[in-house]
Structure formats: structure tokens, C-alpha cells
Amino acid sequence: MSQTGGDWDLYEVFIRSKNGMSHKHVGSVHAADDAMALQNARDLYTRRSEGVSIWVIASKNITASDPGDSAALFEPAADKVYRHPTFYTIPDNVKNL
Amino acid sequence: MYTTDLRTAEEKAKARESEPRKPAVDAASDGAFQARIDDDQFIEPKDDMPEAYRKTLTRQISQHAHSEIVGMLPEGNWVKRAPSLRRKLILLAKIQDEAGHGLYLYSAGETLGTSRGEMVDALHSGRAKYSTIFNYPTTTWADIGAVGWLVDGAAIVNQIPLCRTSYGPYARAMVRVCKEESFHQRQGFEIMAALANGTREQKRMAQDALNRWWWPSIMMFGPTDADSSNSEQSMAWKIKRFSNDELRQRFIDQTVPQAEAIGLKVPDPDLKWNEERGSYDFGPLNWDEFWAVVKGDGVANRDRLEARQNAYSEGAWVREAAEAYAEKQSNSAVAAE
């Protein structure tokens, strides 16, 4: 085992910049447990009042889509332009629609 | 801070030899990859990428991270001797930022598949490089001013284009770093300005620091374009957006007037404004010294590495205690269920 083997778990960090906004991914930290992950995230990502709330989650608990599946997952939406309001023709004199 | 390939010519040649020949099928996917790059798309962690792109980035990002971490050492030297409480608080905050920058970068590096532990091991065993600039000693308080003003200043010039580098996690880390870096440069300049406006002895100290830090700072941009073989590939991949020489010129052009504004003289007898180019001409750089420091002949090479190794081994008990505590907590949580 290397000198630094047994590197602690990786956690992903999400910060709410202010109330009214959703949490946004900002980066990651290593920690021995959840509480330490929160403390490390606080030290690392909020040194300049960047947030009012922090979420941390062990990276191993995140399930992510595979870029190789992008076509199957996301391309079907591309030919459904009728889902957007701009698809429809409305007479110029009709308002509030 | 330092983002140029630091390997010597021999090391680069050796790496090229050991690189396996690419099978034909790889060339096609490399073509698709290059098309994405040419289209200015960002590359994200799980995307297909040529092995060489991954390797180049891993080397550059980890080297960059190591530089941030080792960069704390020359400044730490002055925390206890800062001339006022105000200066001490500022210096502590700056050093904490450097630790943070190192961590953002290790995070970005890990997304390429190399663990932080492996990267740190490579630093501590001397296999990995960090910026040569930190192998120069900080002998007076004015050096802290010069480091902030010149070293962080050069780093900013280097890092701003990296905010648009083609690898997403690296670019995002750089956006954060650049936002924080500006305070580092301004506090350094303020130290220099205060000394330059002080007693004759203080002004002499400021000039002396500028004399010693000027050349190493402009060498931070790496070898001249003619001697930088890896740059071309990095430019094609849009990891780098400007050449070493372009960035060096940009830094010199913006820094010379700053020195003049506080009555200090840049130690280059050949420095002259070139009306036609709209830039400063400058004298030849001493690359022999640069490569000597890269290879480990710098005044502080051994000290820096030893300080890192000691910090790591002396912190072992803290890590062990944290692990024991985490285990105990999870055991009692299981027992309570």
C-alpha cells in the first residue's frame, strides 16, 4: 500500500448561495465521515460568504448517466419542438397568450 | 500556479519512447475528439478522450496543485514575523487560499482517474514536479510583497486563459482560483508600495526583492515557444490558449508601469518600450539557471520537499484518530438500529 493509501472517501459538495436559490455543485472534498465532510466543505468552499447552506454526499452514492447513452437519452427531445410555445402560430392581434 | 510542462528534454524524449503506438481505430476516435475541441465544446470527466490528453492534463493539473501546496511554504516562513497584525491576518488568509487552490485542483485532477493519494505520493517521493519559483528562498519581508505582486501576478496571467481550458473540471477550478487570486496580487503590491515609500533602507529592501524575483517570475511562463515542444499539442487540444511567449510579454507589459508607479526599477538593462510593437523589448533569460532549478539545484529544493514530507508524517496521528472516531461512530450507529 502506498504511503497515502486508504485515501478517505470522496464527497461531492453542493452550496446554496442564498435562500431562494437551489443548491449547486461546487466541487468535492475527502473526509473520514459525513460530519467531517461537512466541516471540510465549509472550510474549503465558503471562505468568502459563498453560501448559507451546504449539502455533502459520498460520491459513491451518486448514480450518473453515461455520456455514451446521451443520444438515446436526450436526442428524442430534439424533434419535439411542439413542446415549446414558439412552435405555435397565433394571430398578431391576440394578446395575453 | 505554474502550468507549463516542467519535464526536461530527456524526460520528454523518454516518455515519447515509452508511449505505445496507437492502433488505427484510436485515430478515428481521436479525430472525433479533436472535432469536439475545434467546436469549442468542453470535455467532461466521463467523456471519451485520447489517453494522451488524459495524461497531459493529469500531469499539468497535479503539477499545478503541487505548486499551490508547496507555494505555502515560502510564505509560511514570514507569518510569525509579519510587521503588523494587519499584515499577519492577510498573509494567513492568503496562505489558506493557496491550500484551497491546491485542493480544488486535486479534485479536478481526480476526475481523470488518478487519486489524490497517488498524486501526493508522487510529490513526496520527488517524482512529480512543482513550480520552480518556490525553490527560491524568501529572505526578507519585501520578498512577501514581491511574491504576491510578481509570482501571483504571473500566475494570474497564466490562469485567466485557463478558465476557458477545454477540460470542464479544470476550467471551473480555475474560475474559482482566479476570483481569489486578485487579492493576493494586490496585497503584495501594497507591501511593495509601502516599502518603496518608506525609509531609504525600506526602499532598498523593496528594490532588492524586485531584483531577485523579476527574472524567476518571467521564467514562470516556461521555455520560449521555440523550445517548448509540448505546447503545440496542448494548444491544439485547447488546454493552453496562448503561447508561453505571448503570456510572458503580456505580464511584462502590465508589470513594468506598476514598478515605475512606485519608483522601483525593473532589473533589466535591455528593457525598452517598443513603439512599433506597442510592447516592451526585454533582455535574454538565463535558461541554464531555470533548468538547474527544475532539476533540483535551487537553494530550497530539499527544504521544500522535506517540509512537505514532515508535515504529512507528523499529521499521521490526526488522520488515524479521525478514522478511529469515524469507525466508532458508525459502529454505534449500527448498534442503535
Side-chain angles (χ1 to χ4, degrees):
Chain A
M1 198 159 86
S2 68
Q3 188 195 9
T4 43
D7 216 353
W8 291 337
D9 274 352
L10 193 63
Y11 286 76
E12 300 302 323
V13 181
F14 300 79
I15 304 268
R16 184 202 295 286
S17 57
K18 57 182 183 188
N19 281 359
M21 310 288 280
S22 52
H23 287 74
K24 187 173 167 236
H25 183 245
V26 293
S28 54
V29 293
H30 285 271
D33 59 30
D34 297 356
M36 186 196 266
L38 201 57
Q39 282 171 355
N40 287 352
R42 177 261 181 201
D43 287 349
L44 187 56
Y45 291 105
T46 63
R47 292 198 303 283
R48 286 178 174 77
S49 317
E50 288 94 335
V52 296
S53 164
I54 305 174
W55 288 348
V56 291
I57 179 165
S59 310
K60 62 184 178 197
N61 291 331
I62 292 183
T63 308
S65 64
D66 184 340
D69 297 337
S70 287
L73 291 173
F74 307 119
E75 276 177 18
D79 60 3
K80 296 178 179 61
V81 284
Y82 46 83
R83 284 188 164 150
H84 299 278
T86 48
F87 177 74
Y88 301 91
T89 314
I90 304 293
D92 285 347
N93 57 349
V94 176
K95 303 293 175 205
N96 300 319
L97 192 70
Chain B
M1 285 207 181
Y2 192 98
T3 50
T4 303
D5 191 346
L6 283 171
R7 294 174 305 169
T8 59
E10 303 97 82
E11 286 172 313
K12 284 180 190 169
K14 215 173 136 195
R16 268 196 300 274
E17 273 168 32
S18 66
E19 212 127 291
R21 288 205 175 280
K22 285 183 198 152
V25 61
D26 222 33
S29 70
D30 284 6
F33 178 80
Q34 189 62 48
R36 291 189 61 192
I37 297 279
D38 294 342
D39 188 35
D40 271 332
Q41 293 182 27
F42 282 105
I43 307 303
E44 293 293 343
K46 292 172 83 182
D47 292 353
D48 276 336
M49 61 184 90
E51 225 17 64
Y53 177 83
R54 184 186 300 275
K55 253 175 87 173
T56 300
L57 267 173
T58 303
R59 183 176 59 236
Q60 176 167 329
I61 296 173
S62 62
Q63 213 162 260
H64 197 161
H66 300 330
S67 300
E68 301 284 354
I69 298 297
V70 176
M72 291 191 278
L73 299 171
E75 300 192 307
N77 185 30
W78 282 92
V79 170
K80 287 187 191 161
R81 292 177 286 164
S84 68
L85 181 59
R86 177 179 182 272
R87 296 282 184 210
K88 183 185 278 197
L89 286 172
I90 292 168
L91 187 57
L92 279 169
K94 178 180 190 300
I95 294 170
Q96 196 192 2
D97 274 353
E98 306 298 359
H101 296 177
L103 292 173
Y104 306 152
L105 284 158
Y106 283 127
S107 285
E110 286 193 290
T111 63
L112 290 159
T114 304
S115 75
R116 185 176 73 180
E118 288 172 88
M119 291 186 257
V120 171
D121 279 348
L123 172 67
H124 291 178
S125 67
R127 296 196 306 283
K129 296 208 161 61
Y130 55 87
S131 176
T132 52
I133 197 80
F134 303 117
N135 287 334
Y136 292 91
T138 42
T139 51
T140 73
W141 172 249
D143 287 25
I144 296 303
V147 166
W149 174 35
L150 301 173
V151 175
D152 288 86
I156 291 171
V157 170
N158 234 331
Q159 287 171 163
I160 285 176
L162 285 172
C163 296
R164 292 187 299 123
T165 194
S166 58
Y167 188 57
Y170 192 23
R172 291 192 286 275
M174 280 300 107
V175 169
R176 249 194 117 81
V177 168
C178 284
K179 272 187 195 159
E180 298 178 353
E181 202 83 68
S182 175
F183 128 62
H184 298 177
Q185 192 188 17
R186 292 180 75 139
Q187 65 85 35
F189 186 76
E190 196 195 71
I191 290 173
M192 290 299 261
L195 291 171
N197 284 318
T199 63
R200 189 196 295 198
E201 181 58 18
Q202 286 171 326
K203 180 161 186 176
R204 196 200 56 75
M205 193 193 268
Q207 182 64 52
D208 170 64
L210 173 57
N211 292 348
R212 282 179 292 109
W213 287 92
W214 175 255
W215 293 102
S217 298
I218 64 173
M219 283 195 259
M220 280 174 70
F221 296 94
T224 56
D225 296 347
D227 296 328
S228 181
S229 58
N230 261 43
S231 286
E232 218 172 304
Q233 180 62 73
S234 285
M235 297 276 273
W237 279 330
K238 295 188 184 171
I239 294 174
K240 268 177 91 102
R241 296 253 174 188
F242 298 96
S243 76
N244 296 353
D245 286 337
E246 282 175 283
L247 294 170
R248 182 167 15 247
Q249 184 72 59
R250 191 177 297 175
F251 175 71
I252 291 172
D253 289 348
Q254 68 187 40
T255 309
V256 172
Q258 294 167 356
E260 284 168 356
I262 53 173
L264 296 179
K265 192 171 162 12
V266 170
D268 178 357
D270 297 323
L271 191 77
K272 213 173 114 220
W273 178 250
N274 183 325
E275 194 67 51
E276 209 170 297
R277 290 199 307 126
S279 272
Y280 284 93
D281 291 334
F282 54 95
L285 282 70
N286 182 354
W287 292 108
D288 292 340
E289 178 193 306
F290 175 81
W291 288 114
V293 178
V294 169
K295 285 178 194 157
D297 299 341
V299 180
N301 288 43
R302 209 190 49 221
D303 290 355
R304 299 289 183 247
L305 217 50
E306 264 177 23
R308 280 304 314 146
Q309 289 159 344
N310 291 343
Y312 193 82
S313 56
E314 285 163 17
W317 70 271
V318 180
R319 294 190 297 276
E320 284 160 18
E323 279 166 32
Y325 179 77
E327 195 174 349
K328 194 171 142 196
Q329 292 298 106
S330 80
N331 286 345
S332 56
V334 169
E337 272 172 16

